Amino acid sequence: MTDQSKGVVKARIAQKLTEGLAPAALNVIDDSHHHAGHGHHHPDGETHFTVEVVSAAFEGKSLIERHRLVNALLAQELADRVHALAISAKTPQEAARA
């Protein structure tokens, strides 16, 4: 992987979540290095992610509905390179209580 292409999947995830959810806070973490040598690990990384997203778009939605919304926005990435996605999806009010 060239230096120019490092972080491309992470950037695409951030862009899609920003466009789809207008988050108050967003953190996209590449956890791939924790899975080196495991199934579906790619030598260039960017296969395992955690997303922490705070958005008003989650208000009135169950945890499953929130995860489905994130998964739908990232369907292409999940079909291609991303093997695992851990999701923390909170409303601004929930995040303020944390």
Side-chain angles (χ1 to χ4, degrees):
M1 180 181 278
T2 66
D3 284 340
Q4 285 184 324
S5 62
K6 285 184 182 177
V8 171
V9 177
K10 180 179 178 177
R12 223 172 32 234
I13 289 170
Q15 178 183 1
K16 288 185 175 186
L17 294 178
T18 298
E19 291 171 358
L21 299 172
L26 175 63
N27 191 17
V28 180
I29 305 158
D30 184 351
D31 296 318
S32 302
H33 63 284
H34 294 297
H35 302 276
H38 297 168
H40 299 284
H41 181 265
H42 191 279
D44 293 333
E46 295 202 294
T47 55
H48 296 70
F49 286 92
T50 296
V51 294
E52 301 167 341
V53 58
V54 176
S55 175
F58 297 136
E59 291 181 21
K61 291 184 172 40
S62 70
L63 183 61
I64 290 173
E65 290 170 321
R66 296 173 189 196
H67 283 224
R68 285 180 179 156
L69 180 56
V70 170
N71 285 330
L73 290 169
L74 302 178
Q76 184 62 49
E77 288 70 26
L78 291 165
D80 292 339
R81 179 80 163 262
V82 177
H83 171 68
L85 181 66
I87 302 168
S88 171
K90 296 180 180 179
T91 67
Q93 293 79 14
E94 292 167 341
R97 289 191 295 254

